[in-house]
Amino acid sequence: MIPEPAQSDQLAPQVPQMEASEFAAIAEYAKITFGLHLPLAKKEMVFARLIRRLRRLGLQDFSTYLAYIKHKDNAEERSEFLSALTTNVTQFFRENHHFEFLRDKLLPDFIAKARAGNRIRIWSAGCSAGQEPYSLAMLILDSCPDAAALDIKILASDIDPRILDIARTGEYPAEQRAAIPAALHRFLKPAASPEMFAIDAGPRNLISFAELNLIEDWPMRQGFDVIFCRNVAIYFDAPTQARLWHRFSQQTTSGGHLFIGHSERLSGPAQAQMRSVGITVYVKNPSP
Ligand SMILES: C[S@@+](CC[C@H](N)C(=O)[O-])C[C@H]1O[C@@H](n2cnc3c(N)ncnc32)[C@H](O)[C@@H]1O
């Protein structure tokens, strides 16, 4: 006798499948909107991350979800989509050799220039929750206590408005304190919660936070002496990466430096415009 299916099987909700055409449409949208590279090999990952969003929203299938995120009123879900497919992982003084390079090789000259009345601009592009720009700001103030009175500024941008809200708050869980060199702890202060600490006004005042999608137009007109764009381009496909490096090269001052992530490499026209001067550190060549 063939047994009857168990009652619970009959009631089990249908798990939506991700059709090949749906994956292709999602990948196309992610590329056009965010520059994300989602090859077919990532289909399982995309399914696993987005199925949670479908469930949360009570949507039946991925085509409906795609239509939902494309709707002009659903910017918040677009952020959720991006967050689900990328990571905001960051930390204070991540890849510390970059900060040592900046402190030892670049800051002395920047400080002299700033004290002579020149502007110095640093951009943390894809700054996530702010640990990268705050690390930069603390380092600058440590070498240049009068930085607030000079024209030294840091732009910190990210595509994700929610992560920028955290960055602006400048409060972090106590366990992240250990990544900050003890000599810089004077730039920290207690936060309202005993489990958190806060960045003091000095470093905060050097930074402006802004929402910016790196694959769209940039509003900045002037050049940057230093650009940190680390662990962001890894999500982009090869042509998008090459275009980004080229745009960074255009956006740096003569002799300006670009710092990229440990698994990233310069490609495309920027290879002729910048040269390597350290581990994933590049300097712009003088104009011919
Ligand atoms: C892994 S975090 C890197 C944070 C920091 N730069 C570091 O290396 O620790 C990547 C960040 O890139 C941002 N991001 C991803 N795509 C972006 C885009 N198209 N434009 C700007 N930021 C983007 C994400 O929101 C995320 O905060």
Side-chain angles (χ1 to χ4, degrees):
M1 194 173 97
I2 301 167
E4 288 285 310
Q7 186 103 23
S8 59
D9 283 354
Q10 285 174 336
L11 295 178
Q14 284 261 304
V15 177
Q17 302 299 304
M18 184 183 270
E19 304 297 335
S21 60
E22 289 176 317
F23 174 75
I26 286 170
E28 171 79 359
Y29 173 78
K31 181 171 156 44
I32 290 170
T33 314
F34 302 112
L36 297 188
H37 180 44
L38 298 176
L40 196 54
K42 291 201 171 165
K43 184 168 177 241
E44 295 279 299
M45 181 277 276
V46 172
F47 175 86
R49 305 260 178 102
L50 295 185
I51 190 76
R52 295 182 215 145
R53 299 306 313 159
L54 262 72
R55 289 197 176 120
R56 173 64 69 91
L57 296 164
L59 300 177
Q60 296 306 312
D61 56 58
F62 287 94
S63 301
T64 312
Y65 179 70
L66 185 58
Y68 186 89
I69 53 173
K70 282 182 174 175
H71 193 280
K72 65 176 175 36
D73 291 343
N74 294 332
E76 212 165 289
E77 186 55 33
R78 280 192 286 282
S79 289
E80 294 285 355
F81 172 81
L82 180 70
S83 295
L85 298 177
T86 60
T87 156
N88 293 123
V89 168
T90 185
Q91 64 190 61
F92 288 101
F93 293 93
R94 182 180 198 182
E95 296 176 51
N96 191 40
H97 61 94
H98 281 163
F99 295 92
E100 290 171 348
F101 187 104
L102 182 74
R103 182 194 61 203
D104 299 340
K105 301 216 159 90
L106 303 182
L107 277 187
D109 185 41
F110 288 171
I111 294 166
K113 281 186 177 152
R115 287 184 179 148
N118 296 298
R119 65 192 285 282
I120 298 295
R121 291 291 179 273
I122 297 177
W123 181 12
S124 166
C127 67
S128 189
Q131 288 89 335
E132 183 177 278
Y134 286 126
S135 300
L136 292 166
M138 288 189 273
L139 207 63
I140 291 169
L141 279 171
D142 192 43
S143 299
C144 182
D146 52 332
L150 307 175
D151 194 4
I152 302 181
K153 300 266 177 292
I154 299 168
L155 168 67
S157 69
D158 201 281
I159 194 174
D160 182 345
R162 290 165 318 152
I163 206 80
L164 280 172
D165 284 343
I166 298 172
R168 286 192 187 96
T169 310
E171 294 191 359
Y172 300 95
E175 57 270 21
Q176 293 192 22
R177 202 183 157 96
I180 303 173
L184 304 180
H185 285 195
R186 66 184 192 280
F187 299 119
L188 312 179
K189 61 181 185 179
S193 155
E195 277 120 52
M196 307 282 280
F197 69 91
I199 307 290
D200 209 352
R204 297 167 74 101
N205 290 341
L206 295 186
I207 305 173
S208 306
F209 289 99
E211 191 180 324
L212 184 71
N213 183 346
L214 286 170
I215 69 157
E216 292 181 350
D217 287 342
W218 303 342
M220 302 83 78
R221 292 290 156 253
Q222 289 183 300
F224 288 87
D225 301 282
V226 167
I227 299 176
F228 269 57
C229 185
R230 307 182 310 158
N231 311 302
V232 181
I234 33 166
Y235 299 111
F236 301 160
D237 66 9
T240 309
Q241 287 183 3
R243 199 162 46 249
L244 184 66
W245 306 139
H246 175 60
R247 293 176 77 199
F248 281 144
S249 160
Q250 304 293 300
Q251 200 71 43
T252 39
T253 54
S254 168
H257 286 72
L258 173 65
F259 294 73
I260 68 177
H262 60 95
S263 60
E264 297 160 340
R265 291 290 170 273
L266 224 56
S267 57
Q271 286 177 297
Q273 297 154 350
M274 307 192 95
R275 67 178 190 285
S276 168
V277 284
I279 305 165
T280 50
V281 184
Y282 299 86
V283 66
K284 186 165 171 172
N285 294 324
S287 320

